[in-house]
Amino acid sequence: MTPGDNGASTPEDDDPFGYLYADGQARGAQPPSGGYGYPNSVSRVRTVGERQYGQQSTVPQQQGAYGQPNAHYQAPETLPGGATTSRQPALSGGDGGRRGPNTKGLLIGAIAVVAAVVIGISVAMINGNADDDKSGNEAGSTPTHSQSHEPSPTNTKSTPAGALPKADAATDGSVQLAGGAARASDVKGAKADGGAYVAGLNTAGASITWTVKDIQKAGSYRLYVRYGIPGEDADATLSVNGKPNQQPLGMKNFIGSPKGDFEKGWQTTWAPVTLTKGPNTLTISCGQGNQCNALIDQLWVQ
């Protein structure tokens, strides 16, 4: 007898599962008859390697003997609702799946932000252009050419103190006529009160002198003149505070009115002038070399 081997039914055989192994069987180990009090669990124990799922054991057993497969037993995977052999893919839609990021909502939000920025920039540019347009009409602006359209003149009778002045050439008390220039109203189209205007300027030495009061700031201005011609260009000498202006007053046929028709020849021109603070005198006269066949309606400074 080898050391540690005391024969069958000795303490080495106290292992209740010794009968499951070849060395235990060689020593005569037998399966317990009572299942150690657990007939439902121990009675189903199989020798290692004996159980095969999905088919009945090939080891012949006697009916009712220990270790025989239970006729009512089935593997869990063969029962309805039993364990599954593979994982089912998770559904991407429905309540059980997670939705991806709401890219459509993010895109709409980004577009709204860009649109708000564009609108804000556009409003700022419009306001800036409006301010630029206003500043172009203020005192001190330097003209580059004469204008053929009529600006909106400022009337001293209806504007607040400090506004640039305007005068009706034939009726305003600040205007003096000389050298044959006289008031008339037979040609229609004048905008002065009563349709009056100054005629007779085409006589050499005839003149219109306007005293412009209350210039708030010395600088460069524009003298605007509304005039009527019979479809032919005209011009006149312009003096500021008794000195010839650097540029004469051109009264061209900008609108292309028909020849010989004063009524259809009303239009506007301007010339740059340099004024001092306080009162200034502006004189339009017919000098040597001038073509002065024109009617003078209104005068204003901008």
Side-chain angles (χ1 to χ4, degrees), residues 149-163:
H149 66 280
E150 295 187 30
S152 299
T154 302
N155 195 324
T156 55
K157 298 179 181 180
S158 60
T159 54

Side-chain angles (χ1 to χ4, degrees), residues 50-68:
E50 177 182 347
R51 176 63 176 170
Q52 295 185 9
Y53 289 93
Q55 63 182 7
Q56 192 173 3
S57 174
T58 58
V59 179
Q61 298 288 341
Q62 293 183 358
Q63 181 69 24
Y66 180 82
Q68 180 178 357

Side-chain angles (χ1 to χ4, degrees), residues 3 36 80 142 212 262 276:
Y36 294 97
T142 302
V212 181
F262 277 98
T276 61

Side-chain angles (χ1 to χ4, degrees), residues 26 33 37 118 169 173 220 229 278:
S33 60
V118 171
S220 298
I229 53 175

Side-chain angles (χ1 to χ4, degrees), residues 72-107:
H72 300 287
Y73 173 79
Q74 286 183 314
E77 62 269 23
T78 64
L79 297 175
T84 58
T85 58
S86 63
R87 297 182 62 185
Q88 297 297 324
L91 298 178
S92 60
D95 296 337
R98 296 185 60 187
R99 298 179 179 273
N102 190 355
T103 56
K104 183 176 181 180
L106 295 176
L107 179 59

Side-chain angles (χ1 to χ4, degrees), residues 209-230:
T209 300
W210 178 30
T211 301
V212 181
K213 299 179 180 180
D214 300 328
I215 296 299
Q216 299 295 316
K217 181 180 179 181
S220 298
Y221 293 79
R222 294 180 182 181
L223 170 64
Y224 283 91
V225 178
R226 187 171 190 269
Y227 63 96
I229 53 175

Side-chain angles (χ1 to χ4, degrees), residues 162-204:
L164 294 175
K166 172 198 171 184
D168 292 339
T171 60
D172 198 289
S174 62
V175 179
Q176 288 79 42
L177 307 180
R183 174 181 174 178
S185 59
D186 52 317
V187 177
K188 296 180 180 180
K191 292 186 176 181
D193 289 344
Y197 53 87
V198 175
L201 192 62
N202 59 339
T203 303

